[in-house]
Amino acid sequence: GAGVSQSPSNKVTEKGKDVELRCDPISGHTALYWYRQRLGQGLEFLIYFQGNSAPDKSGLPSDRFSAERTGESVSTLTIQRTQQEDSAVYLCAEGASGSRTDTQYFGPGTRLTVL
Amino acid sequence: TQLLEQSPQFLSIQEGENLTVYCNSSSVFSSLQWYRQEPGEGPVLLVTVVTGGEVKKLKRLTFQFGDARKDSSLHITAAQPGDTGLYLCAGARSGGSNYKLTFGKGTLLTVNP
């Protein structure tokens, strides 16, 4: 079966431009996470969606970052007015329940480069 | 300050050798997971440990969760080139959100043929 997919796989943009990153889910998974992975760093939690509950946005680094998810379908992460420090790999992960023992299934990530 | 410290940061060994990587914290975790990430891909879950002192074996990999649930180790026996990758530990903090994992920076393992 298909795994979690993300698009684009690579994105190069100029400072100040907006970018939209997409995550396509595995059917039936209710929990969805976005992470940021900077070079040489661990994964940094950004946002969490669980079904129709209000998302946990506590990890978003600034108001330039936003994310949406409709039901249990596609999610998009939008970064407005990109800055060079936004350069990183952005990973989407899904889980069946969002519990502490849940298996998170990661997509391959989108590598964002801000020039 | 990194909540989960992984060591060593880099490890390069020859095929057939044994190795141990560590994940340490001053905080207590209700569960801890180990992932392996290969270049250009997302992390893949290897194991979840939830009980202090727990030991889990996955073929040549042995995972241990510390008695106090503050640390963990991953031991690989007779390493193979296919074990090459970034090993990440991730924990759910006790008293925190169950779904919010804290990740270490990882140990980059290279197994040379």
Side-chain angles (χ1 to χ4, degrees):
Chain A
V4 178
S5 60
Q6 293 187 244
S7 59
S9 55
N10 283 284
K11 177 70 177 179
V12 180
T13 190
E14 294 180 346
K15 178 181 174 181
K17 300 284 189 182
D18 298 350
V19 296
E20 185 175 279
L21 313 179
R22 177 183 171 110
C23 173
D24 282 87
I26 297 171
S27 176
H29 283 180
T30 61
L32 186 144
Y33 312 75
W34 281 97
Y35 294 92
R36 178 169 68 178
Q37 187 175 28
R38 290 172 160 157
L39 189 63
Q41 302 295 315
L43 276 65
E44 177 187 3
F45 169 84
L46 296 179
I47 189 168
Y48 166 78
F49 296 91
Q50 173 62 280
N52 293 319
S53 301
D56 179 348
K57 304 179 181 180
S58 60
L60 295 178
S62 76
D63 59 8
R64 297 186 295 105
F65 288 72
S66 62
E68 293 184 350
R69 188 188 191 199
T70 304
E72 296 177 6
S73 62
V74 171
S75 178
T76 56
L77 175 69
T78 301
I79 309 173
Q80 297 178 309
R81 305 181 302 281
T82 53
Q83 303 295 311
Q84 289 182 333
E85 62 263 27
D86 298 335
S87 295
V89 175
Y90 289 83
L91 292 159
C92 167
E94 290 210 314
S97 64
S99 74
R100 63 186 174 97
T101 58
D102 202 9
T103 298
Q104 293 192 25
Y105 298 92
F106 283 83
T110 293
R111 181 175 297 278
L112 174 66
T113 304
V114 182
L115 302 176
Chain B
T1 302
Q2 191 71 17
L3 195 60
L4 276 172
E5 297 284 349
Q6 290 193 245
S7 62
Q9 188 176 356
F10 300 97
L11 185 58
S12 180
I13 62 171
Q14 295 300 121
E15 182 176 2
E17 292 182 358
N18 301 333
L19 67 113
T20 302
V21 298
Y22 300 93
C23 176
N24 296 303
S25 178
S26 57
S27 298
V28 177
F29 290 88
S30 59
S31 65
L32 197 137
Q33 297 180 322
W34 284 90
Y35 290 81
R36 180 170 68 211
Q37 184 178 22
E38 298 187 17
E41 298 183 8
V44 175
L45 180 68
L46 297 174
V47 77
T48 300
V49 286
V50 298
T51 305
E54 183 176 2
V55 177
K56 281 192 174 179
K57 292 190 176 182
L58 183 66
K59 297 183 179 178
R60 294 177 294 102
L61 279 60
T62 301
F63 304 86
Q64 185 165 8
F65 200 13
D67 291 342
R69 292 186 286 128
K70 293 182 178 181
D71 53 81
S72 182
S73 64
L74 160 59
H75 181 80
I76 301 178
T77 303
Q80 299 177 1
D83 296 328
T84 294
L86 179 68
Y87 287 81
L88 295 160
C89 67
R93 291 182 66 185
S94 290
S97 301
N98 280 340
Y99 55 81
K100 191 177 291 185
L101 295 181
T102 300
F103 280 81
K105 292 185 180 181
T107 292
L108 185 59
L109 172 65
T110 302
V111 182
N112 302 298

